[in-house]
Amino acid sequence: MRTTPPSFRQRPSRQPRLSGVLVLALGALTGCEKSTPPPPAAPAEQPAAQAPAAPAVPSEVTLLVTGGAFGQLQPAEGKGGAAELLGRWVAEEKHCAGPVKDGQATCADSGTLALATGDHWNGPAISSFFLGTPTAEVMGRMGYAASALGNHELAFGKEAFLKNRAAGGFPFLAANLKVKDAALAGDLSMPAFQVFERRGLKVGVVGLASEKTVRTAMAGRAEGLEVTGYEEALNVAVPEARKAGADVVVVVADACVTELQPVVAKHAEWKLALVAGGRCPQPVDVKEGGTAFVSLDRGFNKYLRAHLTFDPKKPAGEKVTAVDTKLVDAAGGTPDAETAQLIAKWKTQLDESLGQQIGFTKAGIPQDSPQMAKWVAGAVREVLGTDGAVLNRGGLRGDLPAGAVTRGSIYSVMPFENTLLVVNLKGEDLAKQLANPAALIAGFTPAGKNKFKDAKGKALDPKKEYSVATVEYLYFGGDGFEFEKLDPEPTETGMAWQTPVVDWTKGKESSEKKPLEKLLK
């Protein structure tokens, strides 16, 4: 630092020599008197210190998008899972973990926005057994900002949905879901879009629900709601998002993006940067007319990284200069410790719950026995109140051992992740499905070649419609069944196929004196 030079006194000029007494007097006088120094010079003014320049905020925002979680919190085959995905987001994407509040992340200058396409609660027992709450809490920890409304979101009923939405702390968006009767719909009104600001860029996120959301929900779960067409909904929501200040608009949808491509192609004025969805039978990652269309798998094994580069000097609505998309594997990240602990807590509760005794069998029930079909398929039919149930023999993977029956032993007999649906079939079509050798049947019995009787002993009426409970695996063509073709709009219960068996068994209160096998005769 440069300092001000010191001030120096000038030496007094030398006086001429005096003589006589005057000289002595003056000498004596100067010997007693002290000279007064001149006042010091005022220090020069210091230059003002300059404040350090604020670090430049990158003109980049990254969207992190996942498909439906479907409760798949734990790693699949040792890879991925929610904790590992979040660990990768934090380390590599500089994502901010923790709940988003009022649209903002918990850390300053956050440059990421986590989004999802819907369908989160039902799936493995760690989620579905607790009606989706574990998944909601984990997604809150992961810092999701918004999700499209999936048609499975109402799988456990309105109250469970509202509870899970609060636990997750993020909104569900559905531009095409309208309240037809507020008295029936209650709190199920959904915003069409939301605008989030990251690093000065305003991102408008529009959500779309599946067009099947209302038609396929269990009775009473979507009362008072109606679904409009995708084009009609976007034609309103996108301009509204722009009016709300969005510089860029993206769409997350509980639909395959190939359904939306022709709609978006008709509306260049929307200027959508990204359309992300699920439900596609084959992967999709294409760019068309300046819009990226990407499909996502269920679970937390992969995510979409959509990197937006923008110019903050450009006018509102014209700031984005580039959009780059890439599907990224979650595997390889260091699991987020807090998320891993949260999942472990729910796993412990699940193990404790599955260990509770709910019945008793003295002899056990063999896997291929008629009693097994009566127990499993019969419980599904009785709890759902259908004319019959058609499951698959291959879905059962063990005997029920003698002794105490627990929830865990039921999940051991029925280990797969299957959700129950209800279809309505004419008798002539139903008979062909019942004749499939893979069928595990309740409510119908053989009455000759390709002929069957109903539970009352009457022959199937070829033209009458019968309600039949089945599982997703069979509905979509597993083991050669044709349910999807025969009833394109099934009723989706959202119920794991083990649930009715657990409920029925618990309700029968079997014991050593009244073993389960006697109740099945």
Side-chain angles (χ1 to χ4, degrees), residues 183-272:
L184 293 174
D187 296 328
L188 290 183
S189 176
M190 308 286 163
F193 68 90
Q194 189 156 331
V195 177
F196 301 91
E197 186 169 350
R198 294 291 185 273
R199 292 179 172 171
L201 183 72
K202 293 181 179 179
V203 182
V205 182
V206 178
L208 289 176
S210 167
E211 291 184 331
K212 297 181 179 180
T213 298
V214 173
R215 295 197 304 269
T216 62
M218 283 286 281
R221 294 181 183 176
E223 284 183 327
L225 301 173
E226 64 179 351
V227 175
T228 62
Y230 298 136
E231 184 173 11
E232 177 186 348
L234 290 174
N235 222 9
V236 174
V238 174
E240 287 295 322
R242 295 282 184 192
K243 286 180 185 177
D247 294 308
V248 60
V249 177
V250 302
V251 174
V252 288
D254 181 33
C256 180
V257 293
T258 56
E259 296 179 53
L260 299 170
Q261 277 180 277
V263 174
V264 176
K266 292 163 58 178
H267 294 276
E269 75 278 9
W270 290 346
K271 297 180 181 178
L272 298 178

Side-chain angles (χ1 to χ4, degrees), residues 59-60 201 247 309-316 318-322:
S59 299
E60 302 171 348
L201 183 72
D247 294 308
T309 306
F310 66 98
D311 183 349
K313 297 178 182 178
K314 287 193 173 184
E318 301 177 17
K319 294 182 179 180
V320 173
T321 56

Side-chain angles (χ1 to χ4, degrees), residues 361-362 371 512-521:
T361 172
K362 193 171 184 177
Q371 284 181 317
E512 194 165 357
K513 293 183 178 179
K514 186 179 65 174
L516 182 62
E517 57 268 27
K518 284 192 176 182
L519 302 174
L520 298 171
K521 289 184 179 180

Side-chain angles (χ1 to χ4, degrees), residues 243-393:
K243 286 180 185 177
D247 294 308
V248 60
V249 177
V250 302
V251 174
V252 288
D254 181 33
C256 180
V257 293
T258 56
E259 296 179 53
L260 299 170
Q261 277 180 277
V263 174
V264 176
K266 292 163 58 178
H267 294 276
E269 75 278 9
W270 290 346
K271 297 180 181 178
L272 298 178
L274 170 69
V275 177
R279 296 181 170 272
C280 291
Q282 301 295 330
V284 179
D285 186 0
V286 297
K287 248 190 178 177
E288 186 177 290
T291 303
F293 295 87
V294 184
S295 67
L296 292 144
D297 293 333
R298 58 175 62 187
F300 294 112
N301 291 334
K302 286 190 176 183
Y303 68 96
L304 167 65
R305 176 198 293 140
H307 189 71
L308 310 181
T309 306
F310 66 98
D311 183 349
K313 297 178 182 178
K314 287 193 173 184
E318 301 177 17
K319 294 182 179 180
V320 173
T321 56
V323 180
D324 297 311
T325 59
K326 183 180 180 180
L327 287 169
V328 183
D329 283 323
T334 301
D336 175 70
E338 189 171 327
T339 305
Q341 289 172 2
L342 183 57
I343 295 171
K345 178 197 78 171
W346 283 108
K347 179 64 167 61
T348 299
Q349 291 187 36
L350 177 67
D351 292 342
E352 291 173 353
S353 299
L354 293 180
Q356 296 173 359
Q357 181 173 341
I358 58 173
F360 185 87
T361 172
K362 193 171 184 177
I365 300 177
Q367 179 179 343
D368 296 323
S369 66
Q371 284 181 317
M372 182 66 78
K374 287 182 180 180
W375 179 42
V376 174
V380 169
R381 172 183 175 247
E382 187 171 324
V383 171
L384 293 184
T386 54
D387 295 319
V390 178
L391 308 177
N392 58 316
R393 295 183 183 278

